[in-house]
Structure formats: C-alpha cells, structure tokens
Amino acid sequence: MEQDTSAFLQAAIDEARKGLEEGGIPIGSVLVHDGRIIGRGHNRRVQKGSAILHGEMDALENAGRQPAWVYQESTLYTTLSPCAMCSGAILLYGIKHVVIGENTTFMGEEQLLGSRGVRLEVHDDETCKALMRRFIEEKPELWDEDIGR
Amino acid sequence: MEQDTSAFLQAAIDEARKGLEEGGIPIGSVLVHDGRIIGRGHNRRVQKGSAILHGEMDALENAGRQPAWVYQESTLYTTLSPCAMCSGAILLYGIKHVVIGENTTFMGEEQLLGSRGVRLEVHDDETCKALMRRFIEEKPELWDEDIGR
C-alpha cells in the first residue's frame, strides 16, 4: 500500500484543517488497515475541552474497538511527530508503522518508538509545518497546554 | 498529603468497582491535586466502545483541561500498573508521582516511568488484585483486547 502514502497523509492533513476550522489545534491523523482508513481524527482539546483527544488518540477512538491483529497490521498517519501519550498508545496496541508529516515544530517520542521496533517514516511536509508554525505563533499558550508545558 | 494515600487509593478502587458494576473492566483511577480529587475515572472500553478510555485516561479526561503546573503538582492513583498509553499520558503531562494498587496481574511501563524520574509507589493491594484476577479469569478475551494482546 506504499503507493497510497501521500493520499493517506493528505487525509490526515484534511483532518488537521478541519480542526483549525473548528477553532482547534491543527493536528490530524488517520489509522489505515489493509489499504483502507478505519479511523480519522483531529485534536479536540478546544472543541471538547479534552485533555486526551490528540489527533492520533481521536483517530484510534474513532476506529472503535479492534482486535490486536488489526492494530498490528495497521499504519498510523499523523501530521505531527507523536507526543508521549500518543506514542504510548502506539506501543500499547503494537502499531508497527507510523508515517509522520513533520517533526520540525515538535519532536515527539520518536526515539522511544524506534527503540521498540516501530518503523517511522518522517516526511518534511511543508503544509504540515506551515499549519503548526502559524498556530504556534497565534496561540502559544494553547500549544503549551496541549503538550504539558 | 501522604496520610491520605489509602483514602485516595480507596477512591480509585471505588471507581474500579463502579466499572465492574457497569459490566466493564475493573480498573479505576483518581487524579489528586493539593489534597483534593480533581478527576475520577474508570476503564470504559465496554461502556463506551472506547479504545482509549483506560481508567487513568478517563480520570485525566474528567479532570478537564488543566495548566501544566497542576499536573506537575498532582498525584495519579490507579488500581493497576499503568500500560504504555497511560504511562505516556503521565509523561506528557509531567505527573511526578503515581500510586499503583498492584502490579502482579499486569506489569505496565514502570521501568520507563522510573527512568524518566516519575516516583512510583506500588502497593500490593489485595482488593485490587482480587478484582483483576476474577475479571481476567472470567473474561480473558476482553482483557487481552484492552492491552492489545
């Protein structure tokens, strides 16, 4: 399914944009199994007053309850390098492949994920970077809150 | 607030029991700041069809959006050793102290937490162990699903 990487990353970007339009934090994610998106999500801190609905968590939640083998065969696409919480969820469910839009505006727990055998594919996507740069410039306090800083 | 440890662990156990009564997985948690419970929760995989609402995550979610300093001054009480996802959330928010009911029926990411400077206080609580032992015996498939196995 490698040929679809850009389409799935685009779907994650579309989710990030949806979040931005809702007044939220522009980070999006999709969970892909067998060439099909089984969960889409975006950060909903603002929209739902949520401390746990980061983009990746929202995508996992929207995928619903899945057996272990589905996660183990899935790829998680996210517009931004996954934080400790989202990385922990990736490890819990044994997701083996994570495609990351960018890790310039925020570096998550890539080292931990790599040390546990998760294959990371980091793109240096200009759209992902532009979305985050603008957001961080406009709402630095909200961004700090989202990453526990 | 050390003298209240058993009362707060009891509050987490009460949450676990509530989960069991609802037909769910008996793991509970409370987030305590300045001697006061600011979030209570229990595993809601069954009740909400949720892949992310472990007990600790539910307690964090129910505490609502908090500034970083509140988490950093808080103690998280949980009936069971925290999995990778919940440990990641603890690291994201910089929670420095975690009180754990037991780690016999499941060993979570205590090593990782310890290596990042989180102070862990593991009780060998008989009630916590009995709740999990009975649950795992009665619903092994559900337990496997909850820990991505």
Side-chain angles (χ1 to χ4, degrees):
Chain A
M1 298 297 147
E2 294 301 328
Q3 71 276 23
D4 293 331
T5 290
S6 63
F8 291 135
L9 186 57
Q10 186 56 51
I13 294 171
D14 292 346
E15 284 293 321
R17 283 225 174 86
K18 207 181 286 182
L20 192 67
E21 281 160 22
E22 294 166 0
I25 301 173
I27 305 169
S29 178
V30 296
L31 185 66
V32 174
H33 181 252
D34 206 15
R36 201 172 57 84
I37 295 175
I38 60 171
R40 299 170 188 265
H42 52 269
N43 188 302
R44 297 192 202 252
R45 175 173 296 273
V46 172
Q47 298 92 316
K48 291 206 165 185
S50 173
I52 65 171
L53 286 175
H54 277 192
E56 300 91 322
M57 303 297 286
D58 194 39
L60 286 168
E61 185 69 336
N62 291 333
R65 290 171 55 182
Q66 299 286 344
W69 62 271
V70 170
Y71 296 112
Q72 288 161 14
E73 291 178 3
S74 291
T75 298
L76 185 71
Y77 289 75
T78 173
T79 57
L80 184 66
S81 185
C83 82
M85 174 173 66
C86 299
S87 296
I90 289 163
L91 293 176
L92 169 65
Y93 287 121
I95 295 170
K96 293 193 181 81
H97 185 203
V98 179
V99 177
I100 297 168
E102 60 106 353
N103 63 9
T104 303
T105 66
F106 175 77
M107 174 55 87
E109 293 277 351
E110 293 182 15
Q111 207 164 10
L112 175 65
L113 289 171
S115 76
R116 302 284 182 98
V118 179
R119 184 159 66 93
L120 303 176
E121 189 182 319
V122 182
H123 293 239
D124 190 40
D125 186 273
E126 290 301 331
T127 307
C128 294
K129 284 193 285 186
L131 278 165
M132 281 307 290
R133 279 196 187 122
R134 184 166 173 184
F135 163 68
I136 293 171
E137 198 181 298
E138 288 178 354
K139 299 179 179 172
E141 301 82 4
L142 180 54
W143 177 230
D144 281 352
E145 183 195 313
D146 199 53
I147 52 174
R149 192 164 61 185
Chain B
M1 297 295 146
E2 293 303 327
Q3 71 275 20
D4 293 329
T5 291
S6 62
F8 292 134
L9 186 56
Q10 186 56 52
I13 294 170
D14 292 345
E15 284 292 321
R17 283 225 173 85
K18 207 178 290 182
L20 192 67
E21 281 161 23
E22 295 166 359
I25 302 173
I27 305 170
S29 177
V30 297
L31 184 67
V32 174
H33 181 252
D34 205 15
R36 200 173 58 84
I37 294 175
I38 60 170
R40 299 170 187 266
H42 53 270
N43 188 302
R44 296 189 203 253
R45 175 173 296 274
V46 173
Q47 299 92 317
K48 292 206 164 185
S50 174
I52 65 171
L53 286 174
H54 278 191
E56 300 91 321
M57 303 298 285
D58 194 40
L60 286 168
E61 185 69 336
N62 291 333
R65 291 171 54 181
Q66 299 287 344
W69 63 270
V70 170
Y71 295 112
Q72 289 161 13
E73 290 178 4
S74 291
T75 298
L76 185 73
Y77 290 76
T78 174
T79 56
L80 183 66
S81 185
C83 82
M85 173 173 67
C86 299
S87 296
I90 289 163
L91 293 177
L92 169 66
Y93 287 120
I95 296 169
K96 292 194 182 78
H97 186 203
V98 178
V99 177
I100 297 168
E102 61 107 351
N103 63 10
T104 303
T105 65
F106 175 77
M107 174 55 85
E109 293 278 349
E110 293 182 15
Q111 207 163 9
L112 174 66
L113 290 171
S115 76
R116 302 283 183 100
V118 179
R119 184 159 67 91
L120 303 176
E121 190 181 317
V122 183
H123 293 239
D124 189 41
D125 187 272
E126 291 300 332
T127 307
C128 294
K129 285 193 285 185
L131 278 166
M132 280 307 291
R133 279 197 187 120
R134 184 165 173 184
F135 162 69
I136 293 170
E137 197 180 299
E138 287 178 356
K139 298 179 181 174
E141 299 83 4
L142 180 54
W143 177 231
D144 281 351
E145 183 194 311
D146 199 53
I147 52 173
R149 196 164 57 184

